[in-house]
Amino acid sequence: MTNTQRIVRPQLLLSASLALVALAGSPALAQQAAAVEEDTGEIVVTARRGSERLIDVPATVSVITAETLAATGTFRSQELLQLTPGVTIVSGTAEAGDTQINIRGLNGARDAEASVALVVDGILKTNTAQLNQVQGTLRQVEVLKGPQGAIYGRNAAAGAIVMSTIMPGDAWSGAVRANYGELGTAQAFAHIAGPVTDTIGVVLSANYQTTDGFWRNEFLNNAKVVDDQENYGFDGRVVARLGDATTLDIKGRHARLSGASINFNASFHLPNFAAVNPAFYENVNERQFRYYSNIRPTNEQTTWEASARVEHDFGTGKLTGWLLYSDVDQSLTADGTSADFARYTFPGATPASVAASNSCFATTAALTGYPLAPPTFIGQTPVPFIFDPATGSTFGAYSPTTCDGTQLQVRKQKDISGEIRYASALDGPINWSVGLYYLNIDRETGVSLGADLGQGVLPTLYNPPGSSNPTSQLFNDRFSTNVYAAFGNVDWKPVEQLTLGVALRYDIERRRAENLVPFVNDPITGGPINPGQQGGPIPPASNTFKQLQPKVTLTFKPDDDTALFANWGVGFKAGGFNNQGSAAIVNQNFNDGVTPGTINAGVTINDQYRLERSSAFEAGIKGSLLDGRITYDLAGYYTQVRDMQFFEFFVGGFGLLRVVSNIDRVDIWGGELNLTAKIVDGWTIFGSGNLTGSEIKRNASRPDTVGNKSPYTADYTLNLGTQVSLPLNDSLKANFRADYRLTGPTWFHSVQDQEKPTLFSGLLPISALGLPAVVGNARYDVTRRDPFGVVNLRAGIEGKNWTATVFANNLLDKLWLNEVIPAIEFGGSFISPGQRRVIGAELGFRF
């Protein structure tokens, strides 16, 4: 499909919807639903698809109100979720759309489906790349914890993020907000909303962000190309009354991002090598980050989206239907990882291999002695040090030479989805709803390695021998998914104090994978360019995944200020396909154990991974004291996960490989407490905490990890803060907000405090060193992220229609780790740093 075609399709949907609006006529515009009841000041949420008081929801819900959004200046999931206990997020380490959200021990594995549903203005988003995008001008955000599939549908196994954006009112209003801070960091937001006619209203908004990033590339003259980023977005919304009882809500969105990618350093965990250099056995928390790749990393992401939502009120109930079209394209280019395994070092039979080797020798000779981060170094030859201890080199990943090659990753996804739902009026002892859902996903992914001949990275996955960037490994697949679901729920209130609820959803996901890799040989090694092609072209694969998702809830209210609740539900994520040929690579390189230079790692990876199913129970109490001046909620939970989907990363002489595996069973348990106290009018203090325990009970992929903790799960989180708003005179008030977030120790892999054989274990006995295999073993006790705390402050003056604010994000400039990706059979980890301090100022104007 051409770029023009990609633009036209959402525009056609938007134009068709606007035509419907033009035919409308009658009463006034829909008003923006109140997030707070005016008479009681209680928070109102839509956690169960209808407006209700927060205290009436039989589950733990963290609510970020409009007041909190303004006080904290947050606008994306990355910042919003840091305000929420029991929730952590990894975002943007590899690429912009690469986001993993962990709620109470359930994580969204990279390259699999998300574990958290994103619902914006009643519409379920289906592309994980949108989890951290700006979704318009936010009015309120609700984070629901525990399986929500029966209520919110697909990929809500761990919970749901429910966002509401502003709607047009009876009068025109708008706002502009802009800030500037250190590191060339700037943001700007603007929106305008109001009536076009008595029956039609619009909201238009735009956003822009840019930053130079904190880190610099030393080799490229300290260029700002490590974590720089620039992005913008436009959102449009049209809301119209099509009669006394019918509302049409049309939205369109376009976003564009350009910046860097693969913000990683590589770290070794080889204790027996530490006798030569202690840096070979490095604790990830002590890493001194440096960047010096010879390839400038790039990341491009483009999003087009359009939706239409219709609601008709029959009096006895409401019929709601919506359609969504989404098109997200993203790609990245970066330096490679293969230098230490001699992939591009030795001349071979093909011109491409000779050219790669010559380029590698030339850059190594020119850069001998260039100061790399220990223990890596550039010797007189590009031969790995285990083969040439006298003059060899240890490059690590992302070196300034051409010896590690290049990488290109692409992901193109188009979604079309729709839902129709009928819900009874919420005015009787029994309330119910039923509905149907459909989704079609067309996704293409590709990961390509190329020889670095010093002429840059070509933007195409396959480049033939003789080109300036010949492809030497390629995964490229097209995935097609069709989802069909039926759902319904019933809530029964036999007496005023007691409510019982039952919800049920049945999903059928039909998936198909088609391999797109040409049947050609690797110009470097001479073997198949995809190892899965050893027996010929890879045939298509398909499977169907089905799951029933029940949810049962109970609420008992002994009085108006207290609610006891309990719920149980089943969460579900469909299985899927790794890039075809993944199993062959792992078996050939890590499970041989017979061929000299190989090891018997005993790790099992399949081209197809299984569906994930979780069963979760939660019980708690919530309420308020002292006429609402103190609010609280306390909950405990237990979750059992079957076939947890988990991301694995493999590195070696073959290049790099990203796959999803399954952990057969993981048990998770914990507790959570939230407290808010209004000390005096205008001064609030708040605190929340979460403790999570977990244990891997079975894991056929890596049996020796039984007893370890759930990956990507912090042992605890703690949030403390205060918010003050005090009048200075009739027209001015002072605002202050302080937030402290403490995140506990976190393992990022199923392999934890263990020793494992690596590729070095296989190479050492046959190398010039002739050492026993055990010398090449790695220990992963140094890969746990340490606890870290981050302080954010905002202070300012507010007039009748303006604000002036100073802010400090990560005030103490805490160096923390965003993500640690252990590559177990490589003997090390790929580590990404978190955001450093940014101090700046902000101005806002509203009308």
Side-chain angles (χ1 to χ4, degrees), residues 712-727:
Y712 282 77
T713 301
D715 288 352
Y716 56 82
T717 63
L718 177 67
N719 288 78
L720 298 172
T722 186
Q723 186 170 312
V724 179
S725 183
L726 296 176

Side-chain angles (χ1 to χ4, degrees), residues 763-779:
L763 293 173
L764 281 172
I766 64 171
S767 72
L769 300 176
L771 296 174
V774 69
V775 175
N777 287 3
R779 278 207 62 84

Side-chain angles (χ1 to χ4, degrees), residues 276-612:
V276 177
N277 188 327
F280 271 114
Y281 185 45
E282 182 178 33
N283 187 314
V284 295
N285 299 282
E286 298 172 1
R287 179 70 182 182
Q288 301 296 311
F289 284 89
R290 291 178 57 196
Y291 299 86
Y292 36 64
S293 67
N294 65 308
I295 300 291
R296 190 262 196 257
T298 67
N299 186 192
E300 303 291 333
Q301 183 187 70
T302 302
T303 300
W304 291 97
E305 186 178 273
S307 65
R309 185 174 186 269
V310 177
E311 181 177 278
H312 181 79
D313 191 344
F314 288 96
T316 57
K318 289 184 179 179
L319 181 67
T320 304
W322 56 260
L323 291 172
L324 170 68
Y325 170 82
S326 172
D327 183 352
V328 182
D329 290 354
Q330 55 189 25
S331 66
L332 69 84
T333 62
D335 209 358
T337 59
S338 302
D340 281 325
F341 300 101
R343 184 174 182 83
Y344 302 108
T345 299
F346 301 107
T350 68
S353 63
V354 172
S357 179
N358 290 342
S359 178
C360 175
F361 270 80
T363 58
T364 300
L367 293 170
T368 298
Y370 184 89
L372 305 184
T376 55
F377 59 91
I378 301 178
Q380 295 177 13
T381 69
V383 178
F385 78 96
I386 56 176
F387 294 115
D388 188 355
T391 63
S393 302
T394 295
F395 296 107
Y398 319 123
S399 77
T401 74
T402 65
C403 302
D404 41 17
T406 67
Q407 60 178 300
L408 166 68
Q409 299 181 28
V410 299
R411 180 186 176 102
K412 302 176 181 179
Q413 180 169 324
K414 298 180 182 66
D415 304 343
I416 299 176
S417 58
E419 180 181 282
I420 184 167
R421 172 192 299 261
Y422 182 84
S424 66
L426 302 177
D427 56 2
I430 297 179
N431 298 294
W432 55 273
S433 70
V434 294
L436 299 171
Y437 173 80
Y438 171 74
L439 165 67
N440 173 263
I441 301 175
D442 183 7
R443 178 171 66 234
E444 180 184 343
T445 64
V447 179
S448 169
L449 300 187
D452 185 357
L453 305 185
Q455 302 177 56
V457 186
L458 293 177
T460 47
L461 287 170
Y462 177 68
N463 306 309
S467 66
S468 61
N469 181 212
T471 299
S472 69
Q473 185 200 64
L474 176 59
F475 296 97
N476 187 19
D477 292 86
R478 175 174 291 120
F479 303 96
S480 177
T481 300
N482 284 287
V483 180
Y484 311 87
F487 54 88
N489 73 285
V490 176
D491 288 332
W492 176 41
K493 184 180 286 189
V495 295
E496 188 62 30
Q497 294 83 10
L498 181 66
T499 304
L500 303 173
V502 177
L504 199 63
R505 180 184 178 96
Y506 185 64
D507 279 86
I508 300 173
E509 294 211 9
R510 294 174 178 165
R511 294 192 164 195
R512 186 177 189 273
E514 177 187 0
N515 186 257
L516 304 178
V517 178
F519 190 56
V520 297
N521 286 334
D522 179 342
I524 307 299
T525 67
I529 199 167
N530 183 315
Q533 296 175 330
Q534 291 283 3
I538 301 174
S542 62
N543 203 347
T544 299
F545 304 93
K546 303 176 182 180
Q547 183 63 52
L548 188 68
Q549 299 178 75
K551 189 174 182 70
V552 180
T553 61
L554 180 150
T555 306
F556 176 70
K557 298 185 64 179
D559 55 61
D560 288 341
D561 298 323
T562 310
L564 302 170
F565 66 90
N567 64 75
W568 169 82
V570 169
F572 160 68
K573 286 170 55 178
F577 301 92
N578 290 311
N579 290 111
Q580 303 301 286
S582 297
I585 270 201
V586 172
N587 288 330
Q588 291 169 18
N589 289 272
F590 303 118
N591 292 331
D592 184 328
V594 176
T595 304
T598 64
I599 59 174
N600 184 10
V603 57
T604 301
I605 298 296
N606 299 304
D607 283 350
Q608 181 179 149
Y609 55 90
R610 302 185 298 276
L611 69 85
E612 175 183 301

Side-chain angles (χ1 to χ4, degrees), residues 827-845:
S829 296
F830 292 82
I831 316 167
S832 179
Q835 183 178 344
R836 302 296 295 272
R837 180 179 61 203
V838 175
I839 296 176
E842 180 178 285
L843 293 176
F845 175 79

Side-chain angles (χ1 to χ4, degrees), residues 805-822:
T805 306
V806 293
F807 62 88
N809 297 328
N810 193 358
L811 174 69
L812 303 179
D813 200 20
K814 175 67 177 179
L815 178 58
W816 56 282
L817 299 180
N818 194 356
E819 186 178 24
V820 179
I821 303 178

